[in-house]
Amino acid sequence: DAGVTQSPTHLIKTRGQHVTLRCSPISGHKSVSWYQQVLGQGPQFIFQYYEKEERGRGNFPDRFSARQFPNYSSELNVNALLLGDSALYLCASSLSPGGTEAFFGQGTRLTVV
Amino acid sequence: GIQVEQSPPDLILQEGANSTLRCNFSDSVNNLQWFHQNPWGQLINLFYIPSGTKQNGRLSATTVATERYSLLYISSSQTTDSGVYFCAGKGAQKLVFGQGTRLTINP
């Protein structure tokens, strides 16, 4: 069985541009969450989606948005990129939004120049 | 919200040594996980352990939920064990990560 897959793996963007990151969860998992990890820190929660509805949002500006599709895959969008958005973006999938085990993809490393 | 603290922040050991990593959390959690982050950034699941003790080869973990801490034990360390270890607790929807323990195993 395929694990959580994310695309692209690496991305370089210019300040002010827009970026879309993609995530496909493990088959059968209906919950997808997004995390941002800056160098030297632990991942920080951005969004959680379950059954195509937003179930949680972290302390990130409105430039960050996400959605989940009928096949449970998800996109994270970031508008008006800032240098500080440079980070590793991780997607996690789980069976449900509650206490079940989360599995992470390999991440997308975004560099904003 | 939940706060997660890990200790020590850095640990340097010789190959063959044993190590204990600690994770304290500020509130009750529905889920407690340990991860190893590989050099490419992927978080590898080690244990899903809301309570009790589990073992997997040279690694074992114990969570005492009533006292709000978890321990990760690594025995007979190998150089391939090097990297950053994270624990994360889940309250409502989100996993809250600690700052990690950077483990370096020297040959």
Side-chain angles (χ1 to χ4, degrees):
Chain A
D1 259 351
V4 182
T5 57
Q6 292 187 241
S7 63
T9 54
H10 294 83
L11 201 52
I12 299 175
K13 289 286 190 177
T14 303
R15 276 177 297 175
Q17 285 189 315
H18 163 270
V19 69
T20 297
L21 311 181
R22 296 177 173 83
C23 172
S24 292
I26 292 170
S27 177
H29 285 195
K30 298 181 178 180
S31 179
V32 171
S33 299
W34 289 95
Y35 292 79
Q36 180 197 65
Q37 186 180 20
V38 299
L39 199 62
Q41 297 184 18
Q44 298 291 315
F45 172 75
I46 310 175
F47 286 110
Q48 184 189 66
Y49 276 78
Y50 177 66
E51 293 280 16
K52 301 178 292 267
E53 291 188 2
E54 182 183 302
R55 288 298 192 94
R57 173 185 284 254
N59 188 24
F60 281 80
D62 291 344
R63 299 184 296 106
F64 288 76
S65 64
R67 55 180 176 168
Q68 187 177 33
F69 299 99
N71 66 353
Y72 303 109
S73 67
S74 178
E75 283 183 354
L76 176 69
N77 295 284
V78 187
N79 292 323
L81 285 166
L82 303 174
L83 296 179
D85 295 330
S86 295
L88 179 67
Y89 289 85
L90 295 162
C91 171
S93 90
S94 58
L95 285 169
S96 67
T100 56
E101 188 173 7
F103 297 85
F104 284 79
Q106 81 279 19
T108 294
R109 194 167 297 278
L110 172 66
T111 302
V112 182
V113 297
Chain B
I2 296 169
Q3 295 181 0
V4 178
E5 292 184 1
Q6 292 185 244
S7 60
D10 292 279
L11 188 57
I12 302 174
L13 298 171
Q14 290 298 120
E15 200 168 22
N18 301 329
S19 57
T20 301
L21 283 59
R22 186 177 179 101
C23 173
N24 293 331
F25 40 96
S26 62
D27 206 344
S28 58
V29 294
N30 299 322
N31 172 2
L32 194 290
Q33 292 187 241
W34 283 95
F35 299 92
H36 180 203
Q37 190 162 40
N38 69 20
W40 299 273
Q42 184 161 12
L43 290 168
I44 307 299
N45 287 42
L46 297 177
F47 293 102
Y48 168 69
I49 187 165
S51 64
T53 298
K54 291 185 178 180
Q55 181 156 7
N56 183 5
R58 295 182 297 104
L59 275 62
S60 64
T62 294
T63 297
V64 184
T66 53
E67 297 187 22
R68 297 179 184 168
Y69 73 88
S70 183
L71 301 173
L72 176 68
Y73 304 97
I74 305 174
S75 64
S76 304
S77 299
Q78 302 175 357
T79 55
T80 51
D81 294 330
S82 295
V84 182
Y85 290 80
F86 287 102
C87 73
K90 181 183 277 190
Q93 298 99 6
K94 62 181 182 179
L95 277 173
V96 177
F97 285 78
Q99 291 294 91
T101 292
R102 180 172 296 278
L103 177 64
T104 303
I105 305 298
N106 291 322

